[in-house]
Amino acid sequence: MNTEKLGKGLVVLGVSGIILSLLVDVFPGAKPGIQSVQILGIEIAIIVILTGIWTFLADNNEELKIRKRVAFLYEQALNLPILVWIMVGFLLSYLLFFVSPMFFNSIQRMQYFINYLPDKYPIGNDMIVMLDLARDWFFQGQSPYSVQFYPPLTYIFYAPALLISDYALLFRLFTFITLVSYFILTFFIPAKISADENKPLILLFFITGLISYGFQFELERGQYNVFTFLLCMLSIYIFHYHPKRRIVAYILFSLSVQLKLYPAIFVVLLVDDWQNWKDNLRRFVYLGIVNFVLLFSMGYQIFIEFMTSVLHQISTPGWGWNGNHSIKAFVGNLAKDGFGLLSSNSLVFVNQNSEFIGNILLLIVLASVLSGVLIHHLKKEKGIDGYLLFICTIAALTIPISNDYTLSILAAPMAIFLCSLAENWNTRFRIVLILSVVILTFAYSSVLIPFKYKPQFMSNSFPPLFVIMILTTFLNFIRYFSGREFVNKNKPANPSDHGQSVNLKPSD
């Protein structure tokens, strides 16, 4: 069939549609006058006629090869930049969790997001509590571990802030430090270790994370997860890209662990050669000894109280609300109401087996981390492994108690991971990888929205984080077993030459 025949057919079809729409009035039971459905039919018919005229005026000798055109369009879609598929995931989340609850709600009026944070008065509650505990310890000798379970060095680190008596001024200072830390963590570091063509992708995650629910929660509480994770990421960056200054990396890493315990899991990123197991083991032992000794920074008795507090939180974690996305909190809430998905019989089963379910989820998370370490070891690559970094981040967010303000650290590892995905995907896996990227981005962008404006079954952030971890692990296995390299061609090869780019060869 050529374009001339198709064009004539479309014109005839459109004219027939107009005639049929006008003749509807003569049918039995038809309403008098032209109705809305008739006008709609005429408008559609006009579009068909215009399409037919356009086709008719084309080159009459051009043969229509539908299958080839469809195959060409399919191939073009598969070869679209990864940023396109990332935007698809963001768009789906935007429509479902922003546009829908704000404009398509049951009250039929615009409903702006309010009261989505459990805010407290005065603002900066966690900062105030931390300072009060530090003051009570330094001036009255009262232990902080009747309330919190942060490492002892945290309160010493906070001590200089006691010199500022104006809470409002102090909160502004903390907010400024957090904003600067967020910029360095989420834009500067990813930009330094990624190729120039990835700058738009990094900027996307920087901006979306900046206005996210988790980061707003971090600022409202006066928390310091962004600052702590910045110290951890700086230590990893310095370790790989400035090997002569690794002592600084070890100091920053130890300080991050002493402020929040969860950065300890990122010690597996402080490895540049997995074959040199003696140096790696020595490094791990030294860091372990140093960080253990630092736990005695406030004395032996405080160390005992700290350990008791930590063990109590591990066995019976508090804050079992939907804004806690740890494994324990998720299973507890699942046993409580099933997030509106489970029947009464299923709830009974979950309640009876909640500990077993929690242990299975924990084992899956740990297995993902171990698989990331193993693949990184087998591939023998230099530099920061974006896959392993991202998997460790998910583990750090889901194993310990983790309120939603910790989601503020997720943007940087997500950006680094996606930057490590290559554009030249293997044809066999391309559609799988595209679907994985769309789902990954959708799951990530869903946690940027307050849980109060999502369906009940998505009100806890653990499920999307778990999906992200599983898909990242899956892509990591594809990267290894496919025999091809899915990392960015321009990733720096020599860690000491940051800013220089080179193509990394896949390991045999």
Side-chain angles (χ1 to χ4, degrees), residues 336-449:
K336 186 187 304 179
D337 56 16
F339 297 103
L341 295 176
L342 302 182
S343 64
S344 56
N345 291 334
S346 299
L347 282 176
V348 171
F349 174 82
V350 173
N351 272 281
Q352 293 174 345
N353 299 275
S354 59
E355 185 174 354
F356 174 75
I357 295 172
N359 290 335
I360 291 296
L361 292 174
L362 176 61
L363 287 175
I364 293 174
V365 173
L366 293 177
S368 295
V369 175
L370 290 176
S371 70
V373 171
L374 179 61
I375 291 175
H376 185 53
H377 162 66
L378 293 174
K379 291 188 74 63
K380 303 173 185 175
E381 293 178 354
K382 298 292 184 180
I384 299 173
D385 186 338
Y387 292 79
L388 180 58
L389 172 65
F390 198 32
I391 292 172
C392 287
T393 303
I394 301 299
L397 290 174
T398 55
I399 295 177
I401 292 174
S402 194
N403 292 317
D404 279 351
Y405 39 66
T406 58
L407 296 172
S408 56
I409 73 172
L410 193 57
M414 180 75 172
I416 293 171
F417 163 67
L418 290 176
C419 285
S420 69
L421 291 176
E423 302 291 354
N424 56 333
W425 292 338
N426 187 302
T427 305
R428 291 181 300 162
F429 301 106
R430 194 174 299 161
I431 187 64
V432 175
L433 291 168
I434 287 174
L435 291 175
S436 298
V437 168
V438 172
I439 297 172
L440 269 168
T441 311
F442 173 78
Y444 165 78
S445 56
S446 72
V447 304
L448 305 180
I449 305 294

Side-chain angles (χ1 to χ4, degrees), residues 5 11 28 70 99 115 145 153 214 300 324 342 376 378 399 405 438 455:
K5 292 181 179 180
V11 171
V70 171
V99 173
N115 299 323
Y145 293 107
L153 192 66
Y300 175 76
N324 181 354
L342 302 182
H376 185 53
L378 293 174
I399 295 177
Y405 39 66
V438 172

Side-chain angles (χ1 to χ4, degrees), residues 196-207:
D196 288 340
E197 59 264 27
N198 289 321
K199 296 298 191 298
L201 176 60
I202 295 169
L203 188 60
L204 170 66
F205 281 88
F206 170 76
I207 294 175

Side-chain angles (χ1 to χ4, degrees), residues 149-169:
F149 50 92
Y150 296 129
L153 192 66
T154 306
Y155 304 97
I156 297 176
F157 185 81
Y158 262 79
L162 297 175
L163 298 174
I164 303 176
S165 58
D166 186 347
Y167 274 154
L169 175 61

Side-chain angles (χ1 to χ4, degrees), residues 26 31 39 44 212 238 245 250 310 320 418 443 459 464 472 478 506:
V26 303
K31 296 181 180 180
I39 297 176
I44 295 175
S212 68
I238 293 172
R245 298 179 175 87
Y250 301 147
V310 169
L418 290 176
S459 59
T472 304
I478 289 182

